[in-house]
Structure formats: C-alpha cells, structure tokens
Amino acid sequence: MIGFPLFPDVASTVASGVDYLYFFLTAVSAFFTILIFVLILYFAVKYRRRAGRRAEQLTPDEEHRSLGLEIAWSVVPFLITLVMFTWGSSLYIANSRVPDQAMNIDVVGRQWMWKIQHPSGRREINELHVPIGQPVKLTLASQDVIHSFYIPAFRVKQDVLPGRYVTMWFQPTRAGEYHLFCAEYCGTYHSGMIGRVVVMQPEDFQKWLGGVTGDSPVQNGEKLFTAFNCVNCHATGARQRCPQLGGLYGSDVPLEGGGTAKFDEAYIRESILDPNAKIVRGYPAVMPTFRGQISEEQLLDVIAYIRSLTPQKGQ
Ligand code: CUA
C-alpha cells in the first residue's frame, strides 16, 4: 500500500478521536451487514422448498413467538445508537468549543481562493502557516458563495457562508505540510480552490511571521475607523449619541425593545451592515449602513480593532 494511504495524516489533537469513532461506526456496520447476509443464506437453505413440505408449514407459528428475542433486538440497537450519539456529540462539542488562549486568524473565501490574514498583518493566499502545539482559531467569511474549509489531516471541515462569520479551531500536533481543500462545489474552478497548511516549530513560525512587515489588522482597522468616520461618533468624549466601544467585546449589551445581544464578531458585523437591526438601548437609530462600501477583509480589520479596544484606551 506504499504511496496509496487509506487515511490522511494524523496531525491535530482531535484527529485520532475522530478516527476511533469512525472505526467504531465501520465495525458496527460491518458486523451487522455480515450477520444479516449470513442469516439470509442460512435460512434460504434451511427453509428451501422441498418435496412433501406443505405451504402452511412455511408460515410463521403464532405460538412460537419469543418475547425475549423481540426485547433483545429492540434494546441492543437502542443501546448501540445511544453510544454513537453520546460519543459523536461529545466529540462535536469538544470540536466547537474554542479554547480561550487560541490565536485568531482571519480567512476570507472567494471564487476561487482562500485569503488569510495573521494577527501580525502578514497575509497569504491558499497557504496557511501555523505553529505546532498552539490552538488556532479561524474566523471565516465568504465574499460570494458557499465554500468549505477542509483540512483532512486535522479532521476539521467548516462551511464558509456569505453574509456571516463562522469559526473553527484546531491544534496541530505534527510539523509538516498538509492539504487544504474547498469541500463545497462553488463554481467552475472549485477543484482548483486548494492549498496547503504548513505546520512549523514555534520559533520557525516566529521567523516566518517576522519575514514580512505589514500593518496588523488592528492598525488597518484603526485607519478604517477614521476613514469611514466611525470615530466622529464613537470616540471618547463625543456627544454620547453612540455607544462607547471600549471593553464591550465579549459582553452582553442591552437592546432597544428588550433582550440583550452578545457583542461579538457577528454582532459587530451586523451593526456595520445593518445598523438598525439591533440597537443598543438608550441610543437613537442614527447610524448609516456601510453595506457595499466595506469589503469582507476591511470588516475583519475593523472588528480586530474594536476587539482590541479597552475602556481606558477609549473609543
Ligand atoms: Cu470554494 Cu469550492
């Protein structure tokens, strides 16, 4: 089997857990498939039509129903599927809980490439460099249609949707180069929407990051915050017509008309594109929409900037 691997590399903390579940599901399916086929053959031979055997002898005998057997074939599959459910959902939950210390990398998908930006400002296309042993969170958006970010060696896959943010995370465990695919048919060159993930030792990664200097998303976001005139209203000491943004990230904000909203990436994005959707209580609905004026990448930069604001730093 040299040169024809049946499974991708195992290169993240969740990969072997996903594989064990997969092996279990395969084993259960194989066991019952074989059992059913063997019994079909056995009964076909045992109860075949023979000279002298009358038809009524072939019909089931009401007297010989076995309650024990009926309970067994109901309870056993129930327990097996319950095992599948708890095992699968615990993996799923572990996979969707992003560790707090994860570093955030922004990803924008479009026909037909992946555009990636690191917190340091370093950008890359169809390549993702990450350090070994550190949890990495990806914030993903699509500029056009549905794509899917898929790294088989990490056993992670996430649909990337236009008009909203999705997140995924992983922690690489082995240095090396791995495949990166788009796993959702997205048009003519879908099959070309591929790339590689490069897992490096932390010191190599730092060197790689340092190789190119560019503005960080926070710096870009600060410029955009001024360029789009957000600063006029949202700055400290402004006439308090708009909420101060410092320190809000991650908190729950009270809304006009009752209820609260979590001040996260999705809420900031919605407030920029559709400011009247969820208005913070006590403030007038005066903010204009920036739909069509701001690109997905600029949105991610502005969000990075707002995330970085503290109450002291103001704005
Ligand atoms: Cu993007 Cu398929």
Side-chain angles (χ1 to χ4, degrees):
M1 300 300 264
I2 294 157
F4 187 74
L6 282 178
F7 283 87
D9 292 320
V10 172
S12 81
T13 47
V14 298
S16 22
V18 172
D19 284 356
Y20 293 143
L21 177 62
Y22 178 78
F23 292 142
F24 174 73
L25 295 175
T26 310
V28 170
S29 311
F31 172 78
F32 281 103
T33 307
I34 291 168
L35 180 71
I36 288 166
F37 271 86
V38 167
L39 287 179
I40 287 174
L41 285 176
Y42 171 73
F43 289 135
V45 173
K46 183 171 181 198
Y47 296 109
R48 68 190 182 278
R49 182 188 290 268
R50 268 184 266 188
R53 185 184 269 175
R54 293 199 315 277
E56 56 264 33
Q57 283 177 310
L58 295 172
T59 54
D61 184 347
E62 290 288 322
E63 302 281 297
H64 284 84
R65 280 209 168 155
S66 162
L67 184 65
L69 188 65
E70 288 186 13
I71 290 176
W73 75 44
S74 303
V75 171
V76 170
F78 174 67
L79 291 178
I80 293 174
T81 45
L82 217 55
V83 168
M84 292 173 179
F85 169 73
T86 41
W87 190 346
S89 48
S90 66
L91 261 180
Y92 178 84
I93 291 166
N95 251 339
S96 29
R97 273 211 195 114
V98 185
D100 291 336
Q101 74 279 22
M103 78 173 186
N104 182 72
I105 297 178
D106 294 328
V107 179
V108 175
R110 54 164 291 199
Q111 290 168 320
W112 287 274
M113 62 174 76
W114 297 108
K115 296 187 284 185
I116 289 158
Q117 184 172 211
H118 292 261
S120 70
R122 172 125 199 205
R123 292 166 188 273
E124 44 186 343
I125 286 179
N126 292 341
E127 289 201 353
L128 172 60
H129 288 72
V130 285
I132 195 170
Q134 185 182 343
V136 175
K137 172 194 175 196
L138 303 181
T139 301
L140 308 108
S142 167
Q143 213 170 294
D144 36 47
V145 298
I146 302 176
H147 303 277
S148 183
F149 199 85
Y150 181 33
I151 310 170
F154 295 171
R155 310 290 190 276
V156 291
K157 174 162 33 170
Q158 174 63 54
D159 276 12
V160 183
L161 311 168
R164 58 180 288 191
Y165 291 127
V166 292
T167 56
M168 66 193 283
W169 81 276
F170 51 77
Q171 182 172 333
T173 52
R174 267 180 49 192
E177 283 187 22
Y178 306 103
H179 289 293
L180 163 65
F181 293 113
C182 176
E184 181 71 47
Y185 180 69
C186 55
T188 313
Y189 297 106
H190 156 72
S191 62
M193 198 169 162
I194 53 176
R196 60 187 190 133
V197 178
V198 184
V199 179
M200 312 166 92
Q201 296 298 336
E203 53 282 8
D204 295 336
F205 178 70
Q206 286 309 325
K207 250 180 253 161
W208 177 86
L209 267 187
V212 174
T213 45
D215 281 349
S216 71
V218 174
Q219 289 166 322
N220 278 329
E222 186 167 14
K223 282 182 202 151
L224 291 165
F225 206 72
T226 307
F228 283 110
N229 289 323
C230 319
V231 68
N232 288 356
C233 192
H234 284 288
T236 329
R239 281 159 295 148
Q240 299 299 317
R241 288 193 308 160
C242 323
Q244 310 294 292
L245 302 178
L248 275 190
Y249 183 76
S251 65
D252 289 314
V253 291
L255 295 180
E256 204 62 60
T260 60
K262 188 154 181 67
F263 194 86
D264 58 4
E265 284 88 353
Y267 178 73
I268 302 173
R269 176 203 172 84
E270 183 184 57
S271 299
I272 294 171
L273 299 178
D274 190 4
N276 293 336
K278 293 187 189 115
I279 295 173
V280 177
R281 193 181 300 156
Y283 292 95
V286 291
M287 179 167 155
T289 174
F290 290 87
R291 193 181 289 282
Q293 301 175 47
I294 186 164
S295 71
E296 286 297 342
E297 282 131 313
Q298 290 175 326
L299 267 172
L300 285 164
D301 287 341
V302 170
I303 288 168
Y305 172 63
I306 293 175
R307 219 163 29 202
S308 77
L309 294 175
T310 59
Q312 291 77 32
K313 207 174 153 192
Q315 298 193 353

